Amino acid sequence: MSPLIMHKSLTLRPTHRTVRHLALTAALSATVALSGCSMLSVYKIDLPQGTPITQTQASKLRVGMNQNQVLYLLGSPAIKDTLAPNRWDYIYDYKAGTEGKRLGKADVVNASQHLSVYFDERGIVTRIDGIETLPQ
């Protein structure tokens, strides 16, 4: 007989133990490789608090306007103090989360954007403070 006919094909069949070791090694390698990835970090929301107002919006305010006109231009104030009802404060803070940091938005902290509108007893604007603290 010819040696080619007598030759049996060799097949390697992995044992269950080998398969289990390979799976464990692959899982550990993937865990170690992805542990430094930002994909596995916790998603944090952007946290805006208050009313974002620009200098352009605030420049439309005029002494002599009534409260309804101010509400129309700027929206509701963040603070309406019951002890000082003739003063409305528009405060804005912003803490960048995952999306904000990705877009490069800066944090606005400690009420650094603060607009105060003062009214007389009839609800007419008498003074406006803080326009310079607002962004363009």
Side-chain angles (χ1 to χ4, degrees), residues 14-128:
T15 63
H16 292 292
R17 187 174 181 192
T18 306
V19 172
R20 190 172 44 198
H21 283 294
L22 285 173
L24 182 61
T25 303
L28 287 175
S29 298
T31 302
V32 169
L34 293 176
S35 66
C37 257
S38 63
M39 290 176 55
L40 295 179
S41 66
V42 175
Y43 180 82
K44 296 178 184 173
I45 63 169
D46 295 340
L47 188 58
Q49 294 180 321
T51 307
I53 300 173
T54 63
Q55 285 185 5
T56 305
Q57 290 173 300
S59 67
K60 295 177 184 175
L61 286 177
R62 300 281 182 251
V63 172
M65 288 182 159
N66 63 35
Q67 290 179 342
N68 288 333
Q69 291 170 317
V70 175
L71 281 173
Y72 179 76
L73 286 174
L74 302 180
S76 297
I79 300 172
K80 275 188 182 179
D81 190 354
T82 55
L83 299 176
N86 295 332
R87 175 181 171 174
W88 288 0
D89 291 302
Y90 292 87
I91 297 173
Y92 182 68
D93 279 349
Y94 176 79
K95 175 78 171 146
T98 303
E99 186 70 13
K101 288 179 181 176
R102 186 181 67 78
L103 296 174
K105 293 183 179 179
D107 289 345
V108 179
V109 294
N110 298 327
S112 60
Q113 293 181 16
H114 183 171
L115 178 71
S116 297
V117 182
Y118 297 89
F119 300 94
D120 64 10
E121 299 78 31
R122 298 176 297 139
I124 304 298
V125 175
T126 58
R127 190 172 92 205
I128 304 162

